[in-house]
Amino acid sequence: MPAPTASAPASAAAPAPTPDTGPGTAPGAGRKTLAVLLLVPALAALVLWTFAWPAARMAPRDLPVGVAGPVAAADGVARELERHAGAFEVHRYEDAAAARSAVENREVYGAVVVTPAGPELLTASAGSPVVAGLLREAVTGGAAAENRTVPVTDVVALPPADPRGAVLGASLLPLALAGAATGAAAVLLGLRGTRAVATLAGASALAGLTGAALAHGWLGVLTGNAWAEAGVLALTVLAIGATFAGLATLLGKPGFGLAAVLTILAGNAFSGMASAPELLPSGIGLLGQWLPPGAGGSALRSVAYFDGAAAGGPLLVLSLWAVAGLTALALGTRRRPGPAPVPTPDPTPVPATAG
């Protein structure tokens, strides 16, 4: 009869508890909780800084304005503007017609025309209602102290349906979200090659037509050529969607995060659509115009209110983002290796048993 064996104590058989384990707690839960507690405040601080810092530092920086009229009188006006060091970039024009043409072509935000009766101010609230108000305050403030009035003409005015430009400024975030959803869907659904490119292009075109129908036809806040507006909206969505799809194809999940920073976070905050790029901190406004939302907003403003003037640069920026993203999407999917073949085990002979 076999001898009985001693059983191990229960305390020795059970594993010792660890700080991250316990009833209902997965291993590593403590570290994950700590990571969330640190990440959320950091993300909130980043978003707050991105949007609040440019708004808190808003001021004119090399804001292009025009001066027209007789040389001696125009020199006096130019010196008054240049007293604000670094605030204005003064452009000289021969007469009121040349100054008005410069405003209409988006060469300057406004112009002071010196006439025998006194100075007149030309503005373009469609270019930026904030800048139009700033110029009105700067030019008419001194005249009011002397009990003089300065006539103000809004050369390119915003439509009555959007007199403060609020709707136009708020249009970038929906465009960014539409582009992000389109690009993410193309990747997550596993679309490849020409099918992925065609899906992005088709969805962007439909988004552009829908946006133009709402903003131009229903709300009446865009007053240019409806087809041109639809084209700009579609190209903006395509540039953002291609950025999401291309970066996600090349970098995987981190690509989604990088695209979100470029297009939704920094792209909207640095676009200058709520004010003007020249009112943002130095370098930030320029950076915003090289990102898809800023370029799309500037191009949309041009085609909606200025008959397409100064739209070439922003359209080029959008095209570069779209081409780069679509190229990354096509090349990345083409180079991605397929699933590795599953090896099949060799059949082993079964030894015969003796009968």
Side-chain angles (χ1 to χ4, degrees):
M1 184 173 182
T5 58
S7 59
S11 59
T18 60
D20 289 336
T21 61
T25 303
R31 291 190 296 271
K32 295 177 182 178
T33 301
L34 180 61
V36 171
L37 292 177
L38 295 177
L39 180 61
V40 171
L43 182 60
L46 175 62
V47 175
L48 180 62
W49 173 85
T50 304
F51 282 90
W53 173 63
R57 297 293 185 266
M58 189 177 298
R61 297 173 176 85
D62 293 327
L63 193 70
V65 297
V67 175
V71 176
D75 286 343
V77 174
R79 284 193 297 270
E80 287 295 323
L81 293 174
E82 291 170 351
R83 286 177 55 190
H84 307 276
F88 299 104
E89 180 184 280
V90 179
H91 297 247
R92 302 296 294 268
Y93 299 98
E94 294 183 359
D95 51 28
R100 177 182 288 268
S101 176
V103 174
E104 293 173 343
N105 291 325
R106 300 198 70 187
E107 297 174 10
V108 293
Y109 282 95
V112 180
V113 180
V114 181
T115 67
E120 296 180 0
L121 176 63
L122 306 179
T123 64
S125 61
S128 171
V130 176
V131 172
L134 187 151
L135 291 177
R136 188 180 296 107
E137 179 181 351
V139 175
T140 63
E146 301 174 2
N147 294 324
R148 295 186 295 106
T149 58
V150 176
V152 179
T153 302
D154 197 350
V155 176
V156 187
L158 284 165
D162 189 22
R164 295 177 179 84
V167 178
L168 182 66
S171 63
L172 287 187
L173 183 57
L175 291 176
L177 294 177
T182 302
V187 174
L188 296 178
L189 292 177
L191 301 180
R192 298 289 183 266
T194 57
R195 183 182 295 275
V197 173
T199 300
L200 281 173
S204 300
L206 292 176
L209 291 172
T210 303
L214 292 174
H216 184 106
W218 179 42
L219 297 176
V221 298
L222 303 180
T223 57
N225 182 280
W227 291 107
E229 294 163 357
V232 171
L233 292 172
L235 184 57
T236 303
V237 173
L238 179 61
I240 296 172
T243 300
F244 266 83
L247 289 176
T249 301
L250 295 178
L251 305 178
K253 290 182 180 180
F256 285 126
L258 178 58
V261 170
L262 292 174
T263 61
I264 298 178
L265 188 59
N268 280 273
F270 300 164
S271 67
M273 282 296 292
S275 55
E278 292 83 0
L279 298 184
L280 300 180
S282 299
I284 294 298
L286 179 61
L287 173 62
Q289 295 306 297
W290 280 97
L291 297 177
S298 183
L300 181 61
R301 193 186 293 276
S302 290
V303 301
Y305 308 127
F306 293 88
D307 294 329
L315 291 177
L316 176 61
V317 171
L318 291 174
S319 300
L320 291 176
W321 280 98
V323 170
L326 294 177
T327 301
L329 175 62
L331 295 181
T333 53
R334 185 175 302 173
R335 293 176 181 177
R336 180 176 297 176
V342 179
T344 57
D346 295 333
T348 56
V350 179
T353 58

